[in-house]
């Protein structure tokens, strides 16, 4: 992945320098990350809006934190490579993300079961208050 991104970086740099020789690497980062980040946000917007309209807050939370964990796992591996404190391995990234997915799924299951039990306990109370308010 890093090599792929490096190749894209080099090709974009060559292309931009050819047509705009005054642009430096900082401008390349500014332009590419600005366009890429905005495109991702615009693609995610309809999904996030749809989830909010359906009050699917747990799904929104998952999307946010999965993105964060994705970046964090790569940062840890890159940090290990740079500092020499470990081996940079793709399998570490996949295991880390698998751990997050598994534990988030367990937490989501516990949250949903707790919500379901809470609703079931409230239903008899609501029926009792609904019956007492009906005119006889």
């Amino acid at each position: 992945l890093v090599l792929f991104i490096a190749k894209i970086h080099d090709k974009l740099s060559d292309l931009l320098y050819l047509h705009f020789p005054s642009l430096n690497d900082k401008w390349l980062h500014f332009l590419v990350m600005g366009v890429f980040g905005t495109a991702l946000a615009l693609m995610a917007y309809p999904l996030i809006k749809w989830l909010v309209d359906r009050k699917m807050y747990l799904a929104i939370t998952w999307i946010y934190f999965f993105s964060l964990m994705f970046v964090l796992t790569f940062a840890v591996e890159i940090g290990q490579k740079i500092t020499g404190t470990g081996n940079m391995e793709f399998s570490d990234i996949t295991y880390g993300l698998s751990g997050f997915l598994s534990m988030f799924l367990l937490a989501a299951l516990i949250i949903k079961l707790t919500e379901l039990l809470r609703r079931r306990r409230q239903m008899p109370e609501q029926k009792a208050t609904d019956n007492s308010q009906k005119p006889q």
Side-chain angles (χ1 to χ4, degrees):
L1 183 62
V2 172
L3 290 175
F4 177 72
I5 291 171
K7 285 180 184 179
I8 291 173
H9 177 274
D10 291 344
K11 287 182 184 200
L12 281 173
S13 293
D14 293 345
L15 182 68
L16 279 173
Y17 297 149
L18 180 66
H19 297 289
F20 305 99
S22 63
L23 290 182
N24 61 19
D25 187 58
K26 303 297 180 243
W27 275 105
L28 176 65
H29 283 267
F30 175 83
L31 293 170
V32 170
M33 297 310 277
V35 169
F36 185 68
T38 302
L40 283 175
L42 292 174
M43 287 188 296
Y45 178 75
L47 172 65
I48 300 295
K49 186 171 178 356
W50 184 82
L51 291 169
V52 167
D53 289 345
R54 283 148 189 82
K55 297 183 180 341
M56 298 176 75
Y57 304 118
L58 196 55
I60 297 166
T61 303
W62 180 84
I63 291 169
Y64 177 78
F65 281 96
F66 181 76
S67 302
L68 182 66
M69 294 306 297
F70 188 83
V71 170
L72 185 60
T73 55
F74 270 91
V76 167
E77 290 304 306
I78 292 167
Q80 285 182 343
K81 175 72 173 172
I82 292 170
T83 62
T85 57
N87 295 324
M88 184 175 170
E89 298 177 30
F90 188 73
S91 62
D92 289 349
I93 294 168
T94 57
Y95 272 82
L97 291 175
S98 296
F100 169 72
L101 290 172
S102 300
M103 291 180 199
F104 191 93
L105 181 62
L106 179 63
L109 185 63
I110 292 168
I111 289 168
K112 288 299 179 183
L113 285 173
T114 303
E115 288 174 358
L116 181 66
L117 290 172
R118 217 178 267 145
R119 270 191 237 127
R120 283 196 173 180
R121 261 191 250 138
Q122 289 175 351
M123 286 175 72
E125 294 171 10
Q126 287 176 349
K127 286 181 183 176
T129 55
D130 288 347
N131 289 339
S132 66
Q133 293 175 357
K134 287 183 182 176
Q136 305 211 6

